[in-house]
Amino acid sequence: MAAQNGHPPGMRIILHVWRQRSASSPGKFVRYEAQANSHMSFLEMLDVVNEELIERGDDPIAFDHDCREGICGSCGFMINGEAHGPLSGTTVCQLHMRHFKDGEELYLEPWRARAFPVVKDLAVSRSALDRIIAAGGYISVPTGSAPAGNAIPVAKDKQERAMDAAACIGCGACVAACPNASAALFTSAKIAHLGLLPQGQPERQRRVISMVAQMNAEVFGNCTNIGECEAACPKLIRMENIAFMNRDFLRASWTTRGDSMRRVE
Amino acid sequence: MSTMAVDSRLARGLRFYETTLGKKAIMAVTGLILFGFLIAHMIGNLQVFAGPEALNHYAVKLREMPALLWFARLVLLISVVLHIVASVQLWGLQREARPVRYARKKNADSSYASRTMMWSGPIIAAFVVYHLAHFTWVILPGRYEHLKPYENVVYGFRQPLISLLYIIAIAMLCTHLYHGLWSMFQTLGVAHPRYTPALKRFAAVFSIALAAGFIAVPVAVLAGVVG
Amino acid sequence: MQLDSKVPSGPIETAWDRARFEMKLVNPANRRKYSVIVVGSGLAGGSAAASLGELGYNVRCFCFQDSPRRAHSIAAQGGINAAKNYQNDGDSIYRLFYDTVKGGDFRAREGNVYRLAQISLNIIDQCVAQGVPFAREYGGTLANRSFGGAQVSRTFYARGQTGQQLLLGAYQALERQVAAGTVTMYPRTEMLDLIVVDGRARGIVTRDMITGEIEGHVADAVVLGTGGYGNVFYLSTNAKGSNATAIWRAYKRGALFGNPCYTQIHPTCIPVSGEYQSKLTLMSESLRNDGRIWVPLNKGDKRPPSRIPENERDYYLERRYPSFGNLVPRDVASRNAKVVCDEGRGVGETGLGVYLDFADAIKRLGQRTIEERYGNLFDMYYQITGENPYEVPMRIYPAIHYTMGGLWVDYHLQSTIPGLFVIGEANFSDHGANRLGASALMQGLSDGYFVIPYTLGNYLASTKLDKVPDDHPAVRDATANVTGITTRLLNTKGRRSTGSFHRELGRIMWEYCGMARNAQGLQTAIGRIRELREEFWREVRVLGTHDEFNQALEHAGRVADFFELGELMCIDALHREESCGGHFREEYQTADGEALRNDAEFSYVAAWRYCGENAPPDLHREPLTFNYVKPTQRSYQ
Ligand SMILES: Cc1cc2nc3c(=O)[nH]c(=O)nc-3n(C[C@H](O)[C@H](O)[C@H](O)COP(=O)(O)OP(=O)(O)OC[C@H]3O[C@@H](n4cnc5c(N)ncnc54)[C@H](O)[C@@H]3O)c2cc1C
Ligand code: HEM
Ligand code: HEM
Ligand code: SF4
Ligand code: F3S
Ligand code: FES
């Protein structure tokens, strides 16, 4: 494989990968040696390892990935205790081997949270995040009922801030990195995205009440403003959004009248 | 998906507390109250430098307005209880939320204080109990007497071990507030790229100042400046 | 078979209105009783499932990712077109229609394209209302940019993440319906066969990718929005999971496949760096506005770019196309890059790359301006290559980017199997032989939000559908077929990994059915693909079991279909003895190397019908007539 087609300088990486057949079965770390080179992406390095495993007749390592461009949010696991690895603002699919040293030893672990059951090896299920969105992370506008695009002007800075929050790719690294396994950053990013826009105002209070309730129902930890999530987030979503969510939640809790809240089973 | 009506005040209050954000808000408010008390308490303590009369008189003064004193005590008690109960419940949730721990976990750029609130907090709690027994109920062995805070303090802190214990407890309090005072704002929804750094500085300054003010007393006693 | 496009006769401007008026409606009270399957949660599938759910149909939506939000539409960067004419620069529905037909090199169906241009207006309104944070002017109105060489600014964008934001809008609308109970979402569930009863599509067979359970789902109609098949080339800008399995198995059940050979190649991608390369990354076309493309004048010149003097550089696009220079259309830019690399003048370790040089632009405009314009792209390039484009010229090379071909559909987006609708990139689409930038997002959303809700309703209202029991022979047959394929893959127990086969297939396709094609090469390719396919079924090694999360098994199934699709693409490319848009036959070019169309003989849609395992597919023609935009020869000299 890559080892043969030599150039550029190859490197040897020692991997300790969490292998777990299914959610129910027990897991353990297994040691592998990878022949990589500095041009490879981290996932390409794993591809090479898997090719060799297949040649040897061993079950290849399962990990989620799709776009490999840092935008779909499929990929993600812990590299030596860091979500998406050592490079800030980068998903693991955009992380390249040139950021590692020859002979380096790496521990790969799946996201660990009760709400993210392991599917296999490094792949987990993140449907809990979908349910949080389903609880209210939208603007109710049935197809066809929209006013003209320019009917409601949106201040440029508001739109920019909304876009900053909307950049969340739903990868779950914030939950994985948070010592409390809290989904505060993910949830607040959507609440801020929609809450900052004029289009999002009508449902603003109901949205925050429902999404927070769902976040709790999924048994994510609470946020104690530690800030590991912000550091791990590949899209640099700010903790400011968490404060935004807290503020909206407090306001909504005491001002809503007989309004109803959604729960998603 | 089931929709439930948000109805009576009580129900709403309970539902509010049910949520993690609700508990957090309670912690923030109670934390603030406790902090307020400590500021007052710390300033009160500094009167030891003004000599026996001042401090003892202060203690007596307080006793002369029982209504106020007991109201304050009640508020403090409720705050401490709520603060502790909420923190313990949330702590339980956090454990539940991550049943399997990481074999390796690096912490990128969070403060040590922020990750040890559940150590500093209980230590403070334990200290407070000891402290009450020490100076308020004066039930600890030794030449302590009621309503003589000055003598009690001097006598107590002359014993290096006790001073040390206080200093450690106060250091804990310092770290607790170092994160807590800022966290409080975040929890109550106060954040802005321009002001957040200032809030963090505020938390650092006040937590350290408070600790310094408290520690000044045992240090002064040991150094013989007081007594 | 007679292919009836069902495009209403009469004036094109009112065709869609008239068509909608003639469509039958389903009584709101009865919609709940109709079950609809939507495969795909991308812009097309997601918007369709959400809209159908809103109308009250009983919808089941499937995707292979762990969440509908990850559909490949998420990766679209540049933007989405709409004939809003907000910039007052002379745009109009008719101009968008005209540009699209011309850009498609006169191989698209006028009626569909006109409708697309009309609906483009509603799409922007809908997305804005959903909270899509499109770029804005200081006054708060929507901003636009000109894209892909268009003369008007009609492209709406959300930073470099337009596709992501549009998809999240559709995804949120979808999740809203999930919460409302009208849509049931099946993530990590792959469609592996189509259930056809009495000639009508009545359901699908899926594999639960976690438990491996193979299950039949019956319904009253099936909608496929499963995306493009660019991954038949192994290396493409598509996501790793993008595949042709859904449409291919539908093809084998009788749906005709339209224009399989029309593929789009994007000129500005980051070149391959080695054997292990797993996918190619697109760099926005906008880079060509300021970057100058060149290669060394002499072949085998391995000096670093900085040491190659001006007079030993060949700015070949500026040289060959003085008026358009570096801004020639995608296919022209791509082909010329291939030519210079074939001449041995390519740059980089692999020799498959050309320079995109910003030195002059930086001199002229200053680093700040360039940073503002392309900062994020430069960062991305640096992140991937480790080279700093502010100092050394970027290296770029063309890559497969989009497939205009797909299942044949009529004006109602219905395939040749009644009850099977195909939307988005999965159908043979409105783009003819070449797609304009920022038009695919538009098409996906148009199909899903604004076409399917009417045409599907019309089908249901006007068709008598009796209940299909879960154990109907057709269901059992399809399920057995799927189980058969899975077991066969697992039991082959050969010596080669699926990946190695996929890479080899990709090389064959790229070599002979890529940017430039010729009869002899295509014949060679067909032969080599057949051999490789046989070897695959003899030698492939798929480990693990069927009843677990088994990514190798998923991949193997998809590659098995790519072999057959690749062959069909070559057959189609071979039969189309002309050059048009993305399909360039070396035998058919103008004196100055331009695509040479043959309207007399090839002004038709080539729709292929499956005729069995090793029998050649048979060709059906849908003639194309142009009543509004008169075919002309493109020229960018
Ligand atoms: C890098 C890149 C940039 C682009 N930029 C632009 C741009 O700027 N402007 C523009 O207009 N277009 C752009 N395009 C093209 C455009 O993004 C796509 O054509 C369009 O998004 C396709 O949408 P879709 O809904 O048809 O398919 P997709 O978004 O690919 O969705 C396919 C869906 O089908 C599901 N699926 C597939 N197979 C199966 C199966 N067998 N079983 C179950 N589910 C299945 C998948 O899970 C997914 O949900 C770009 C494309 C690429 C690759
Ligand atoms: C003098 C006593 C105390 C003071 C002044 C105090 C103050 C505070 C403040 C201001 C916060 C921030 C609240 C927020 O961010 O919402 C806080 C948080 C916290 N406190 Fe206390 N506290 C005290 C005692 C305790 C005790 C006794 C415990 C535990 C038994 C405790 C446990 C916690 C925990 C776990 C947090 C973290 C919650 C968070 O950071 O958001 N505290 N405290
Ligand atoms: C050097 C530091 C301190 C000194 C010298 C000190 C001294 C005292 C004294 C003398 C009293 C008794 C007053 C009286 O009964 O008349 C008292 C009461 C008290 N102290 Fe402190 N204290 C110190 C630090 C602290 C700290 C760090 C805390 C909390 C974290 C604290 C909490 C209390 C409380 C709750 C009471 C009881 C108040 C009441 O009577 O209701 N003290 N302190
Ligand atoms: S907030 Fe950041 S880390 Fe969390 S899911 Fe979104 S992108 Fe991932
Ligand atoms: S790390 Fe966790 S505690 Fe809050 S700030 Fe981030 S979610
Ligand atoms: S694979 Fe899509 S973000 Fe990494």
Side-chain angles (χ1 to χ4, degrees), chain C residues 343-369:
Chain C
E343 291 167 4
R345 300 195 286 149
V347 301
E349 273 159 7
T350 60
L352 291 177
V354 300
Y355 288 126
L356 177 60
D357 199 336
F358 287 84
D360 293 359
I362 292 173
K363 260 199 233 83
R364 195 173 72 253
L365 309 159
Q367 175 135 348
R368 293 277 290 93
T369 324

Side-chain angles (χ1 to χ4, degrees), chain B residues 41 44-60 63 131 134-136 138 143-159 166 216-218 220-227:
Chain B
H41 186 32
N45 291 345
L46 291 181
Q47 296 178 57
V48 292
F49 292 99
E53 301 70 22
L55 191 65
N56 293 349
H57 177 72
Y58 169 62
V60 178
R63 300 296 190 289
H131 178 60
H134 191 195
F135 287 148
T136 308
V138 288
R143 286 197 281 93
Y144 297 104
E145 42 184 311
H146 203 54
L147 282 183
K148 286 257 176 291
Y150 185 87
E151 290 70 9
N152 294 350
V153 168
V154 172
Y155 170 72
F157 291 154
R158 282 251 168 80
Q159 307 162 56
Y166 268 71
V217 181
V221 172
L222 284 177
V225 179
V226 170

Side-chain angles (χ1 to χ4, degrees), chain A residues 81 107 109 112 114 175-178 216 222-226 228 239 246-247 249 253 256 258 261 263 265, chain B residues 1 3 6 12 19-20 24 94 96-98 102-108 110 179 182-183 186-187 189 191:
Chain A
Y107 281 77
E109 264 183 284
R112 295 209 187 274
R114 177 186 146 142
V175 176
C178 173
N216 291 166
N222 67 296
C223 171
T224 60
N225 308 315
I226 291 174
E228 284 296 323
M239 272 173 76
N246 296 339
R247 186 162 65 245
F249 181 80
S253 302
T256 46
M261 163 171 96
R263 263 288 162 84
E265 263 78 46
Chain B
M1 181 213 85
T3 57
V6 178
R12 181 182 291 191
T19 65
T20 51
K24 275 304 310 289
Q94 292 159 16
E96 197 188 345
R98 178 163 293 136
Y102 286 110
R104 287 265 192 299
K105 182 77 171 72
K106 251 192 218 125
N107 293 303
S110 59
H179 174 67
W182 169 72
S183 174
Q186 180 80 1
T187 300

Side-chain angles (χ1 to χ4, degrees), chain C residues 40-41 43-44 64-65 72-73 78-79 191 226-227 402 425 438-441:
Chain C
S41 63
L43 285 180
F64 67 71
Q65 292 91 347
H72 180 56
S73 296
M191 166 186 169
T226 54
Y402 183 88
E425 191 172 345
S439 289
L441 300 180

Side-chain angles (χ1 to χ4, degrees), chain A residues 55 64 69 98 130 160, chain C residues 159 171 188 279 384 541:
Chain A
E55 267 162 44
D64 270 317
E69 284 184 22
R98 75 180 67 91
D130 291 325
E160 291 289 344
Chain C
R159 297 210 183 131
Y171 157 75
R188 288 203 203 264
K279 75 137 354 207
I384 293 175
R541 166 179 292 182

Side-chain angles (χ1 to χ4, degrees), chain A residues 44 51 54-55 63-64 66 68-69 72 98 124 130 137 143-144 149-150 154 156 160 164 170 190 193, chain C residues 51 54 65 67 70 125-126 131 136 140 142 159 171-172 188 240-241 278-279 383-384 497 541 551:
Chain A
E44 283 168 348
E51 283 287 333
I54 292 171
E55 267 162 44
F63 57 91
D64 270 317
D66 199 18
R68 295 206 176 186
E69 284 184 22
C72 76
R98 75 180 67 91
V124 300
D130 291 325
T143 307
N150 267 339
V154 181
K156 193 174 170 59
E160 291 289 344
D164 289 340
K190 186 50 62 189
H193 160 211
Chain C
S51 304
E54 275 166 15
Q65 292 91 347
S67 162
R70 312 203 194 284
D125 301 343
Q126 185 66 30
R136 300 261 172 181
L142 290 156
R159 297 210 183 131
Y171 157 75
Q172 287 160 202
R188 288 203 203 264
K240 292 296 286 176
S278 62
K279 75 137 354 207
Q383 194 174 38
I384 293 175
S497 72
R541 166 179 292 182
Q551 293 172 312

Side-chain angles (χ1 to χ4, degrees), chain A residues 224, chain B residues 24 27-28 31 34-35 38 83-84 87 117-118 121-122 124-125 173 176-177 179-180 183-184 187:
Chain A
T224 60
Chain B
K24 275 304 310 289
M27 291 191 65
L34 296 173
F35 174 67
L38 286 181
H83 194 86
I84 294 180
S87 67
M117 294 300 272
M118 219 37 207
I124 298 169
L173 179 69
H176 196 80
L177 292 179
H179 174 67
S183 174
M184 177 177 69
T187 300

